[in-house]
Amino acid sequence: MSKFPADIYTEQEASPDTLANLGPLRRLAGTWESAAGIDINPKPEGPQRREYSERIDLQPIDAQSNGPQLFYGLRYHTHILASDEDATFHDQTGYWLWEPATGLVMQTLSIPRGQVAIAAGRATADATELVLTAQRGQTEYGICSTSFLEYAFRTESYRIEVVFNPDRSWSYVLDTVLRIPGREEPFLHRDRNTLVKVAEPKPNPLALLRGKAAAR
């Protein structure tokens, strides 16, 4: 029996206020910064440890529907600089999405070196920790890369663990397992950081529009 309803067309009624319906993602909303990031990446001579600073902006979007499937979410942009250079070390965009009906949490990500992924996990609305994963070769929650990345730095899996801290900061550990030519063992590429809020989120467009209308 399918886990999905027979009616795949009828949409749910969505709230105009995304911030009030983000479940565990509400704690991510806003703009965050940190200069305490650590990256472990592969080099010919072995693993390299680099420190980095990060700014991530997560802003609410209007509710999104796949027929009866309803998501509330955040659009994000991550910008990272290595501590020893001015050029962008890493740039990433995507969405964090929450399905209240099932507890599904998703992260979609796009990296401007020719890689995209969808990672997924489950959580309760008041969760203090999120774990999302994606696997190469999966057609649902998978990873897609350019031909060069498939050859030289093939990403086998992606895992992100987010912890919401008592002081209202949040931390993440991000693991990508790589296959690299000439290496027998897979390489564990790890990034970790703890971020603090520097700005509150703006209301999503529909909530902002209705707020302006009510104020007239």
Side-chain angles (χ1 to χ4, degrees):
M1 180 179 293
S2 174
K3 59 183 177 181
F4 300 113
D7 179 359
I8 60 173
Y9 297 102
T10 302
E11 296 183 357
Q12 296 186 45
E13 183 176 349
S15 168
D17 187 353
T18 295
L19 285 171
N21 291 276
L22 281 172
L25 302 184
R26 178 62 181 88
R27 299 188 190 189
L28 290 177
T31 305
W32 306 78
E33 290 184 350
S34 172
I38 301 295
D39 172 76
I40 306 297
N41 64 82
K43 295 296 179 185
E45 60 276 10
Q48 179 192 54
R49 182 184 186 275
R50 298 187 78 180
E51 298 177 356
Y52 63 84
S53 60
E54 179 174 10
R55 180 181 175 90
I56 178 168
D57 188 47
L58 296 111
Q59 297 296 334
I61 60 172
D62 291 341
Q64 302 291 308
S65 295
N66 292 324
Q69 186 177 46
L70 179 65
F71 291 109
Y72 295 95
L74 300 165
R75 179 193 299 111
Y76 76 89
H77 176 218
T78 302
H79 185 239
I80 293 177
L81 295 174
S83 61
D84 57 350
E85 59 184 35
D86 294 327
T88 298
F89 183 53
H90 183 80
D91 197 276
Q92 183 174 311
T93 61
Y95 296 90
W96 281 87
L97 301 168
W98 161 250
E99 185 182 18
T102 66
L104 175 65
V105 181
M106 292 196 305
Q107 182 196 22
T108 74
L109 62 95
S110 176
I111 301 169
R113 291 180 288 105
Q115 191 169 60
V116 296
I118 302 177
R122 302 277 174 176
T124 60
D126 59 352
T128 58
E129 180 178 324
L130 306 174
V131 177
L132 284 70
T133 60
Q135 294 286 139
R136 178 180 175 273
Q138 292 295 316
T139 58
E140 291 181 326
Y141 305 112
I143 301 161
C144 185
S145 309
T146 65
S147 298
F148 174 77
L149 289 178
E150 277 287 290
Y151 162 73
F153 302 98
R154 192 175 78 194
T155 302
E156 296 288 347
S157 64
Y158 171 95
R159 182 184 188 274
I160 184 168
E161 179 178 347
V162 171
V163 175
F164 300 112
N165 302 314
D167 64 359
R168 298 190 178 182
S169 67
W170 59 279
S171 306
Y172 68 81
V173 176
L174 195 162
D175 290 335
T176 51
V177 176
L178 306 177
R179 282 287 184 180
I180 302 173
R183 295 175 182 258
E184 285 191 18
E185 297 298 321
F187 183 89
L188 177 60
H189 180 190
R190 170 166 288 180
D191 297 285
R192 66 179 189 270
N193 206 353
T194 296
L195 297 112
V196 297
K197 185 180 284 188
V198 297
E200 294 295 331
K202 301 173 183 176
N204 57 292
L206 183 57
L208 186 61
L209 181 65
R210 296 208 176 171
K212 289 180 178 179
R216 290 175 185 167

